[in-house]
Amino acid sequence: MKVILLERIAKLGAIGDEVTVKPGFARNYLLPTGRALRANETNRARFAAEREQIEARNAERKAAAAQIAQDLDGKDFIVVRSAGETGQLYGSVSTRDIADFLSDAGFSVGRNQVDLKNPIKTIGLHEVDIVLHPEVETKITLNVARSADEAERQAAGEDLSSADAIYGANEDAFESLADFDEDGFAAEGEVFEEGAAPSEGETDETQQSA
């Protein structure tokens, strides 16, 4: 299907260009959103008569988008989500989620302006493109973490996608704990004096005779 573009469309053309697109793309996106007109004599005449106004409206939208982009550019946003020890989220962060919290933060950004290739499914720092206008884009960083404290640690460069990183686990501590049963007694019949473990080769008998 051939259409007349009413604004610049990436990889298609600029205002006033006549381009051929797939019928579904035209019917489901370009025509209903006012981004294009069907290319016929009536619409060509209409576009010619209204071109000045169309270009002026586009300039206004571009200026408004540029202001939002300037305010957003390079900003970090903390997103708290539940996640497992490996950093896998119990769910995901979608374009709708991003648009909603940007709106709550006072930025006018629609869901279709969030250029997220796939939903975010792990904790960490994620860079997201925001396309506010065909000629205006910016980037934000989402600090997805289990808590505000973890978000601060991630921002400082910590990787919190493992149990060791989260809990500060110490391998030696686990090895020493393995010498005791769940009630705190020495494992396998060993008897340790208070405050000290038996020396290498020392037996229960030698301890008792001492």
Side-chain angles (χ1 to χ4, degrees), residues 37-145:
L37 296 170
R38 291 177 183 272
N40 55 42
E41 289 307 316
T42 300
N43 285 334
R44 288 188 185 96
R46 174 187 167 187
F47 176 79
E50 298 177 3
R51 181 163 192 152
E52 260 187 54
Q53 296 96 313
I54 291 169
E55 290 180 341
R57 284 196 300 271
N58 181 69
E60 288 174 8
R61 289 195 297 270
K62 182 179 177 181
Q67 182 59 58
I68 297 172
Q70 182 178 330
D71 295 339
L72 269 179
D73 189 44
K75 283 193 178 298
D76 297 342
F77 295 89
I78 294 174
V79 182
V80 175
R81 289 286 189 273
S82 296
E85 290 182 347
T86 61
Q88 193 75 16
L89 299 184
Y90 299 137
S92 64
V93 179
S94 66
T95 55
R96 183 185 296 277
D97 295 325
I98 297 169
D100 286 347
F101 73 68
L102 286 177
S103 178
D104 291 342
F107 297 99
S108 180
V109 176
R111 178 184 177 186
N112 65 339
Q113 294 176 314
V114 179
D115 187 12
L116 190 65
K117 303 299 185 290
N118 296 293
I120 296 169
K121 296 184 178 181
T122 60
I123 64 168
L125 302 178
H126 302 270
E127 197 172 73
V128 178
D129 293 323
I130 307 296
V131 183
L132 298 161
H133 179 274
E135 299 173 69
V136 180
E137 297 184 20
T138 189
K139 292 180 184 294
I140 61 171
T141 298
L142 302 186
N143 186 339
V144 183

Side-chain angles (χ1 to χ4, degrees), residues 116-194:
L116 190 65
K117 303 299 185 290
N118 296 293
I120 296 169
K121 296 184 178 181
T122 60
I123 64 168
L125 302 178
H126 302 270
E127 197 172 73
V128 178
D129 293 323
I130 307 296
V131 183
L132 298 161
H133 179 274
E135 299 173 69
V136 180
E137 297 184 20
T138 189
K139 292 180 184 294
I140 61 171
T141 298
L142 302 186
N143 186 339
V144 183
R146 302 176 189 86
S147 66
D149 175 65
E150 285 196 2
E152 188 174 340
R153 291 166 62 190
Q154 281 189 156
E158 278 194 63
D159 177 2
L160 299 177
S161 59
S162 70
D164 285 0
I166 301 166
Y167 303 116
N170 185 302
E171 189 175 333
D172 294 336
F174 282 121
E175 288 177 355
S176 63
L177 286 173
D179 293 332
F180 298 87
D181 64 20
E182 61 183 4
D183 296 319
F185 294 102
E188 298 180 356
E190 295 174 344
V191 179
F192 294 173
E193 291 180 8
E194 184 176 352

Side-chain angles (χ1 to χ4, degrees), residues 193 198-210:
E193 291 180 8
S199 60
E200 187 176 351
E202 189 175 12
T203 65
D204 292 348
E205 269 185 29
T206 55
Q207 282 190 353
Q208 289 169 4
S209 63

